[in-house]
Amino acid sequence: MKSTIQVHDKHFEVFIEQSVLEKRITALASSINQDYAGKQPLFLAILNGSFMFAAELMKSITVSCEITFLRVSSYQATESTGKVHQILGLSESIENRDIIIIEDIIDTGLTMIEIKKQLLAQNPSSLSVATLFQKPEALKQPIEIEYIGFEIENKFVLGYGLDYDGLGRNLADLYVLSE
Ligand code: IMP
Ligand code: MG
């Protein structure tokens, strides 16, 4: 039987080990280095979840670049309009910049669709997305994602920056909810 850990009331087991995550992140960085040769991208890492992925990715980025960190606040506007996401912390101008968003996981995709819409309104020269995980079955609307680390099943995961009600972001491996 696999060893499990308990976080709050739930049990999780190792799903993707740190070494596998980091090997894949290095490969994503290589693709970005090739695609952005001669350019100077500005990475926008979405807090809190992407901090570990962002740090690991940046260690293998060799093109000249900048990074800054954003938050997305989310609140229910009305029943009919659903959730509203507001970008907080972007003080740099992104006009005419090559922007790469760094996100931990794309689940329904609704957060990323809204982030992209708001950033595109500020006229960057290009906008692409690097996400460590995606759950293709959970996607509610089609969305273009240039760099995907792992496509995973539609199950709740934890660790490597991702939390369950605040806990577990420090775990070095990715865990999945035990059945
Ligand atoms: P979306 O708008 O449904 O794509 O939500 C994306 C956000 O939900 C991510 O940035 C995560 O913060 C959170 N999230 C989605 N799935 C998981 C998961 O399996 N574990 C932890 N957080 C998740
Ligand atoms: Mg997140």
Side-chain angles (χ1 to χ4, degrees):
M1 203 191 98
K2 278 189 190 164
S3 69
T4 63
I5 57 161
Q6 183 170 352
V7 177
H8 295 302
D9 56 325
K10 294 191 171 18
H11 294 269
F12 294 85
E13 61 195 54
V14 173
F15 182 39
I16 306 177
E17 287 182 6
Q18 180 180 9
S19 59
V20 178
L21 295 173
E22 292 182 356
K23 209 170 152 196
R24 179 70 187 133
I25 294 170
T26 307
L28 289 183
S30 298
S31 304
I32 293 173
N33 288 331
Q34 279 181 17
D35 296 348
Y36 288 81
K39 295 183 176 167
Q40 190 169 287
L42 168 60
F43 289 91
L44 303 183
I46 311 296
L47 294 173
N48 293 325
S50 78
F51 76 96
M52 218 178 263
F53 171 41
E56 193 59 31
L57 184 74
M58 294 307 283
K59 287 190 249 173
S60 299
I61 293 293
T62 53
V63 296
S64 173
C65 66
E66 292 173 64
I67 182 167
T68 194
F69 300 86
L70 306 183
R71 260 173 196 285
V72 178
S73 72
S74 161
Y75 58 92
Q76 192 78 29
T78 64
E79 277 306 317
S80 58
T81 54
K83 284 220 173 98
V84 173
H85 301 278
Q86 192 191 354
I87 296 174
L88 304 175
L90 184 60
S91 50
E92 290 82 354
S93 165
I94 64 164
E95 198 173 345
N96 300 323
R97 296 294 309 266
D98 293 303
I99 304 299
I100 305 173
I101 304 168
I102 304 179
E103 178 62 301
D104 53 355
I105 186 165
I106 295 179
D107 186 29
T108 62
L110 297 177
T111 308
M112 188 52 69
I113 285 171
E114 190 60 32
I115 293 173
K116 282 181 86 170
K117 200 170 87 185
Q118 289 184 30
L119 293 175
L120 280 170
Q122 299 181 42
N123 299 314
S125 21
S126 69
L127 182 63
S128 66
V129 179
T131 188
L132 185 52
F133 307 109
Q134 193 206 351
K135 297 178 182 170
E137 292 158 31
L139 210 60
K140 290 212 168 146
Q141 282 177 40
I143 172 170
E144 210 176 312
I145 309 162
E146 286 73 11
Y147 308 98
I148 301 174
F150 299 85
E151 292 192 343
I152 61 173
E153 301 165 68
N154 195 4
K155 288 186 182 169
F156 191 79
V157 290
L158 172 79
Y160 211 81
L162 289 95
D163 72 308
Y164 167 44
D165 206 7
L167 295 182
R169 295 193 195 274
N170 54 306
L171 297 165
D173 302 304
L174 186 76
Y175 287 74
V176 67
L177 198 57
S178 293
E179 311 271 72

